[in-house]
Amino acid sequence: SFVKNGFSWSNRYFNENIYTGRFAITGGVLWRVTRPIILYGGLGFGNRWVNWETISSQRFRVNDISHNGLEFETGLMLKMKKIYITGGISTISLQYTELNCGIGIKL
């Protein structure tokens, strides 16, 4: 379903432009499993939106694939001297899930 604000049947044809965005803020804990392996988890708020554009340049939010709500994230960190490698998974209210990975340097 589409957000109905400003919708006109003359503008119902969509071009192929899709605009997406993602925002999350979480807070959590770290737990050292062994010397180089750290487990982390957090809770907070997450938001993902998908907008489609019509041939007349109007954008509409696609509510079926846009989500917001409780964000949960968990994963592992591997510490090798001053370098951290992370891998995890996050979900918004169990409706949208994504994998994430990262690399960091301890200063």
Side-chain angles (χ1 to χ4, degrees):
S1 62
F2 299 103
V3 172
K4 307 239 184 312
N5 297 340
F7 184 77
S8 163
W9 283 108
S10 63
N11 297 327
R12 70 185 181 276
Y13 300 106
F14 294 97
N15 61 26
E16 295 181 11
N17 294 335
I18 298 172
Y19 300 91
T20 62
R22 176 83 164 91
F23 171 80
I25 185 164
T26 59
V29 295
L30 300 171
W31 180 60
R32 182 182 291 166
V33 178
T34 65
R35 180 54 95 175
I37 298 175
I38 302 165
L39 178 67
Y40 68 90
L43 236 77
F45 176 79
N47 189 357
R48 177 185 189 256
W49 59 92
V50 179
N51 294 335
W52 289 354
E53 188 176 65
T54 66
I55 58 174
S56 62
S57 299
Q58 287 184 317
R59 293 185 187 174
F60 293 92
R61 175 84 27 103
V62 184
N63 292 328
D64 292 343
I65 54 178
S66 296
H67 305 285
N68 64 39
L70 183 66
E71 173 98 11
F72 175 71
E73 180 177 4
T74 188
L76 292 173
M77 287 187 200
L78 177 61
K79 181 182 177 192
M80 300 182 310
K81 296 188 181 181
K82 290 189 172 194
I83 296 177
Y84 288 84
I85 298 172
T86 65
I89 188 168
S90 61
T91 182
I92 301 173
S93 302
L94 299 175
Q95 295 176 343
Y96 175 75
T97 304
E98 65 185 5
L99 299 174
N100 51 54
C101 62
I103 188 165
I105 299 173
K106 182 178 179 181
L107 299 176

